[in-house]
Amino acid sequence: MAAVVAATALKGRGARNARVLRGILSGATANKASQNRTRALQSHSSPECKEEPEPLSPELEYIPRKRGKNPMKAVGLAWAIGFPCGILLFILTKREVDKNRLKQMKARQNMRASNTGEYSLYTRTWLGYLFYRQQLRRARNRYPKGHSKTQPRLFNGVKVLPIPVLSDNYSYLIIDTQAGLAVAVDPSDPRAVQASIEKEGVTLVAILCTHKHWDHSGGNRDLSRRHRDCRVYGSPQDGIPYLTHPLCHQDVVSVGRLQIRALATPGHTQGHLVYLLDGEPYKGPSCLFSGDLLFLSGCGRTFEGTAETMLSSLDTVLGLGDDTLLWPGHEYAEENLGFAGVVEPENLARERKMQWVQRQRMERRSTCPSTLGEERSYNPFLRTHCLALQEALGPGPGPTGDEGCSRAQLLEELRRLKDTHKSK
């Protein structure tokens, strides 16, 4: 039909029209070929007419295209897994830390409550005096000649005589040998102190009491009754038995050549005093009778104060000269140096002192006096300013950067560790 139309056009319209009709004809033919190919493709895709694809030529090899690796995929996977795990670990760790802190706080509260109850019974009721009397009887039976062998010190007319009493206490006689006058410090066993007074052939004219505890003041009554002119000195804040002459900070007691200054050092008790014998009148070293404030490589427990109070009292002692002799209220040297070795194991001064103390104690010899210069080198309670000790145990400065606050916290931690060490 298309050919007939084209022939007719050629005859009637001329050559120009014939070219147009040829284009139309070629377009129609192309469309028809396209339709035929579409039908063929449809017939091949249908299930009924599905044919196997022609195999590739043996010379050709099919290589599938590899997709590039995404470097962020591993990062994203790690983040997706690690982030929630990290949050969970943080929560569990914080919870465990909080539990430990709570346990420590409860333990401290229970210890303080227990100590407070026992301490109140000891200091405020007649049970404390009965306990002291029981201690006195047992010590006299166990140590008829005293718990340690002591050696007096003589300085140009002034004699310091340690007297071992109870199971580990020390009383002292300070004697002006020229005048024959004596001062007793913390005479807890009146029988032992009286025996020393009679042996030395002196007159007791004064009793210096560092604090009210019975193991330091238990002999006040018997000795003051036996020696009628004897005066009993101490702090009015402490309730010292048979006190006759109250003292305040920096007050001086004069007996013959003896010039003894009272220094207020609260903490162990509210009215605790230490007594400093001035060495200038007899051209010798000064002597500090420290009661329960300071021991060889140790310090007393804080019963009636805070760590800040005790730190201030220890700083008062630190202000004295290095050659000042320390005469403590107890024989705690070996135990205290053992604890000092725990907190400062590389302290060579402590190691040397420990070796000397162990030799002394093997023969039951007294370890006093030491000097304040020695104590500064190994006593951890006097070394709260040392950076090594602060880094090892201290909580660091407080929010205000207050060094005093940080030292008080370190002192409190040392005291807690010492109490734990003692109980083992």
Side-chain angles (χ1 to χ4, degrees), residues 212-225:
K212 64 188 175 185
H213 293 165
W214 290 111
D215 62 330
H216 293 259
S217 63
N220 290 359
R221 183 190 65 177
D222 291 354
L223 289 173
S224 61
R225 287 178 178 178

Side-chain angles (χ1 to χ4, degrees), residues 78-343:
W79 176 264
I81 296 175
F83 181 73
C85 290
I87 294 294
L88 180 61
L89 181 62
F90 172 77
I91 293 174
L92 294 177
T93 304
K94 187 175 185 303
R95 185 177 298 176
E96 191 67 24
V97 170
D98 290 343
K99 285 182 180 179
N100 292 336
R101 287 179 179 173
L102 184 60
K103 288 180 181 178
Q104 292 177 0
M105 290 175 62
K106 288 182 178 179
R108 291 181 186 180
Q109 290 174 356
N110 292 337
M111 183 182 295
R112 288 172 181 171
S114 175
N115 291 339
T116 301
E118 294 175 2
Y119 181 73
S120 297
L121 289 175
Y122 178 72
T123 58
R124 299 181 182 179
T125 70
W126 56 272
L127 293 175
Y129 180 73
L130 293 180
F131 178 72
Y132 152 73
R133 296 296 301 180
Q134 183 184 43
Q135 282 184 309
L136 191 59
R137 285 193 298 270
R138 288 179 177 177
R140 286 172 176 174
N141 292 332
R142 185 177 180 182
Y143 306 112
K145 295 183 179 181
H147 58 76
S148 299
K149 301 173 185 178
T150 60
Q151 186 70 29
R153 289 291 185 93
L154 185 62
F155 313 99
N156 193 24
V158 173
K159 188 176 186 178
V160 177
L161 176 63
I163 305 172
V165 293
L166 298 179
S167 60
D168 53 32
N169 283 70
Y170 285 113
S171 299
Y172 296 95
L173 280 183
I174 311 172
I175 303 172
D176 181 343
T177 57
Q178 295 179 357
L181 303 176
V183 174
V185 180
D186 288 349
S188 57
D189 185 347
R191 184 190 299 180
V193 173
Q194 180 61 32
S196 296
I197 291 172
E198 294 175 357
K199 183 178 179 180
E200 296 294 326
V202 294
T203 301
L204 181 68
V205 295
I207 293 174
L208 303 179
C209 213
T210 59
H211 61 291
K212 64 188 175 185
H213 293 165
W214 290 111
D215 62 330
H216 293 259
S217 63
N220 290 359
R221 183 190 65 177
D222 291 354
L223 289 173
S224 61
R225 287 178 178 178
R226 188 181 186 98
H227 302 271
R228 292 294 180 179
D229 296 330
C230 179
R231 305 180 295 274
V232 179
Y233 293 90
S235 170
Q237 302 179 34
D238 232 28
I240 291 174
Y242 297 90
L243 179 70
T244 61
H245 289 68
L247 293 173
C248 297
H249 183 58
Q250 297 289 353
D251 284 351
V252 176
V253 177
S254 298
V255 175
R257 299 173 63 196
L258 307 177
Q259 299 292 316
I260 304 172
R261 186 178 301 275
L263 302 175
T265 53
H268 185 68
T269 64
Q270 185 178 2
H272 193 285
L273 296 175
V274 297
Y275 297 99
L276 180 65
L277 173 64
D278 187 5
E280 182 62 28
Y282 55 88
K283 305 302 180 183
S286 297
C287 295
L288 178 68
F289 300 90
S290 59
D292 279 359
L293 171 70
L294 186 66
F295 311 121
L296 192 153
S297 192
C299 80
R301 298 176 67 179
T302 308
F303 286 118
E304 299 181 13
T306 63
E308 289 78 8
T309 304
M310 182 62 82
L311 178 63
S312 176
S313 297
L314 292 173
D315 284 346
T316 298
V317 171
L318 278 174
L320 304 177
D322 284 350
D323 61 342
T324 302
L325 298 180
L326 175 66
W327 300 91
H330 290 269
E331 179 58 69
Y332 291 159
E334 190 169 9
E335 178 186 324
N336 287 344
L337 285 167
F339 170 71
V342 173
V343 296

